[in-house]
Amino acid sequence: MEPSPPAQTRNLFLRAAWGENTAQAPIWLMRQAGRYLPEYMAIKAHSSFWEMVRTPELAAEITLQPLRRFDLDAAILFSDIMTPLPAMGMEIEFSPGPVLPNPLRSAKAIEQLVVPAKNEMAPFVAQTIGLLRPELDAMGKTLIGFGGAPLTLATYAIQGSGSKDFEAFRAFLHQEPQAAHRLLEKLTQTTIAYLQMQVEAGAEAIQLFDSWAGLHSPSIYRQFALPYITQVFKALEGYRIPRIYLAVGASHLYSVIKDLECEVVSVDWRTDLSQLKAVFNHHALQGNLDPTVLLTNPQTIYNEATQVLEAGLGKAHIFNLGHGLLRQTPPDHVARLVDWVHSYNRLS
Ligand code: 1CP
C-alpha cells in the first residue's frame, strides 16, 4: 500500500513533503542547530557532545534554539547519525566528527556486534522527542527525526573517522563483501528499530542521511546501498510519515535513486533543481542552496536563493541547503534567507 498523507494537515512543511505544490516554500536547514549559534556554544562550553545528545533537556533545548531565532518550518532533532551505534558494541568519540578508537576491520569484529532492542538503544532520544512535541505543536512546527543510511554508517564504522576518500572502507567493500553485507544487515536492523522508535515517540517525518553515498560507483551503490535503504523505507511505510532521502555528491546515482520508495529526495547544489524535476517525478524535492552562499552578503544570498526558488517552481519544493550549515555562517544571514524564502510567492 502506498502511504498517504494524514487528512487535512495544515502544516506547510508536511504539505510540501506529501507532494503539494505550495504557494510558499517551507524552509529548514541541515545542521540548523550547532556551532554557528552562540547559544549552542554556550551549552557546549560545559558539556561534551555525548552529554548534549544523551541529556533530553539539553538536546531538546538545542533543537529549539534555531526556531527561537528564525521562522523555520521544521525542527530537526539534535542528535547524530552515530547515536544508536554504541548500543551495538561500538565505541564512538567526537572530535568534532565521529571517531572509532577500534574501527571494524574483520568479519569477527562484525560478528560480535549486537542488534539492540528498539527501546534499549537510545531511550534518551524518545524522551527528547517527548519534550519537544508539545512545544513544537504549540508553535505549529514539524519535528523531523533522522538516522544514517546503512552504507554511510558503515563508512565510519570501518574507516574509523571522517576522511577525504575513505580508501580503507572502499577497499573493504571489494575485499570482504560478505562481511560488509553482514555489517550492513545489522546496521539496517538497528536503523529500522531506531527510526521506528523515533516515530512512535512523536517524530513527524524521517530523513535518512546518506552523506557518503557519492563515493561509490552505481554498481557498488546498487549492491551495498540500495537493498538496505529499501528495507529501511519499507519498514516505515505503515506510519504515514514523509520519508526523506539525502545523498551528497551523488548526481551520478540519481538514475538509481529516482526509484526509491520515499516521499522526498534532498539534493545538493551540484545539479540544478530545474533539471531534476523530471528525474524525480514521484518525489518532492528538497534543497539545494550551496551553504557557502550564506558566508557572503545579503545581495548574493538573495540572488542565489531566488535562483533556487525559481528552479523549483511547478513542483513540491522544500527549501534547504545542499548540505549542512557551515560553522562560520553569520546567524543574521540565516534570518534573511528564511524571511526571503517565505516572502516569495511560488504560484503568482
Ligand atoms: O559541536 C560540535 O563540535 C559537534 C558538531 C556536530 C553537530 C552539531 C556533530 C558531530 N553532529 C552534530 C549534530 C548533527 N549531526 C545533527 C543535528 C541536527 C541538525 O542538523 O541541526 C544531524 C542531523 C547530524 C547528522 C550527521 N552527523 C551527518 C549527516 C549529515 C551531514 O552533515 O552529512 C553526518 C555525516 C554526521 C557525522 C558527524 N557528526 C559530527 C560531525 C562534525 C560529523 C561530520 C564529520 C565528517 O565530516 O566526517
Side-chain angles (χ1 to χ4, degrees):
M1 190 194 75
E2 286 275 300
S4 57
Q8 299 176 327
T9 178
R10 291 166 51 89
N11 179 282
L12 185 63
F13 169 86
L14 288 174
R15 280 166 45 214
W18 283 112
E20 185 181 326
N21 185 19
T22 55
Q24 260 186 332
I27 174 169
W28 71 280
L29 303 170
M30 289 186 264
R31 294 261 173 98
Q32 64 191 28
R35 288 176 289 182
Y36 72 107
L37 289 178
E39 54 271 36
Y40 172 84
M41 293 311 287
I43 294 180
K44 193 180 144 83
H46 50 80
S47 312
S48 71
F49 187 72
W50 275 128
E51 274 164 2
M52 295 192 286
V53 166
R54 289 177 174 154
T55 310
E57 292 73 19
L58 288 183
E61 172 57 26
I62 295 169
T63 303
L64 292 170
Q65 282 177 343
L67 280 92
R68 297 211 173 98
R69 276 184 183 252
F70 317 118
D71 186 26
L72 296 155
D73 294 287
I76 181 158
L77 174 74
F78 177 77
S79 191
D80 197 79
I81 57 168
M82 306 304 276
T83 299
L85 273 44
M88 295 180 74
M90 286 180 245
E91 190 185 334
I92 292 161
E93 297 164 1
F94 283 92
S95 176
V99 178
L100 282 82
N102 307 302
L104 305 173
R105 294 282 165 87
S106 67
K108 187 159 165 274
I110 290 168
E111 236 19 81
Q112 283 167 353
L113 296 175
V114 296
V115 175
K118 199 198 277 188
N119 299 323
E120 283 168 14
M121 62 179 73
F124 48 87
V125 166
Q127 290 160 17
T128 304
I129 293 173
L131 293 176
L132 283 167
R133 267 302 295 276
E135 296 232 24
L136 290 167
D137 286 354
M139 298 162 86
K141 310 289 187 181
T142 309
L143 178 61
I144 303 172
F146 73 93
L151 192 64
T152 283
L153 295 175
T155 311
Y156 286 108
I158 289 176
Q159 183 76 32
S161 67
S163 151
K164 188 167 161 287
D165 295 313
F166 291 95
E167 283 102 345
F169 176 60
R170 284 159 53 216
F172 189 88
L173 292 179
H174 291 287
Q175 257 163 1
E176 301 266 5
Q178 279 179 329
H181 279 298
R182 190 73 194 106
L183 173 62
L184 289 161
E185 279 162 18
K186 288 187 173 186
L187 290 169
T188 301
Q189 292 316 310
T190 300
T191 300
I192 287 173
Y194 182 57
L195 296 177
Q196 289 181 337
M197 176 272 283
Q198 292 183 46
V199 178
E200 288 166 16
E204 299 168 281
I206 287 291
Q207 178 153 322
L208 198 61
F209 284 95
D210 215 348
S211 307
W212 300 111
L215 291 170
H216 305 287
S217 65
S219 158
I220 290 284
Y221 183 84
R222 276 183 204 279
Q223 290 173 67
F224 292 97
L226 192 60
Y228 302 104
I229 300 163
T230 305
Q231 283 182 49
V232 172
F233 282 146
K234 188 91 192 147
L236 295 173
E237 194 178 62
Y239 289 98
R240 298 171 84 196
I241 47 116
R243 299 160 295 178
I244 311 169
Y245 179 71
L246 163 84
V248 181
S251 38
H252 60 295
L253 303 173
Y254 286 162
S255 61
V256 186
I257 293 172
K258 74 174 177 37
D259 293 325
L260 280 179
E261 285 294 333
C262 61
E263 284 62 52
V264 185
V265 171
S266 198
V267 295
D268 70 29
W269 61 90
R270 293 171 182 87
T271 316
D272 199 282
L273 284 186
S274 57
Q275 288 174 33
L276 296 176
K277 286 187 280 201
V279 178
F280 292 104
N281 47 27
H282 69 274
H283 297 97
L285 284 174
Q286 177 176 277
N288 69 345
L289 187 72
D290 182 338
T292 62
V293 169
L294 288 176
L295 306 180
T296 62
N297 56 71
Q299 189 61 45
T300 305
I301 294 168
Y302 168 90
N303 291 343
E304 295 292 319
T306 305
Q307 275 191 33
V308 170
L309 285 162
E310 283 173 358
L313 292 179
K315 185 178 169 77
H317 178 208
I318 298 167
F319 197 101
N320 205 315
L321 303 177
H323 202 174
L325 261 170
L326 299 164
R327 188 165 40 118
Q328 324 81 292
T329 305
D332 178 51
H333 288 179
V334 177
R336 286 171 188 261
L337 173 69
V338 173
D339 289 345
W340 170 234
V341 169
H342 276 158
S343 65
Y344 183 92
N345 185 338
R346 305 181 66 245
L347 298 183
S348 70

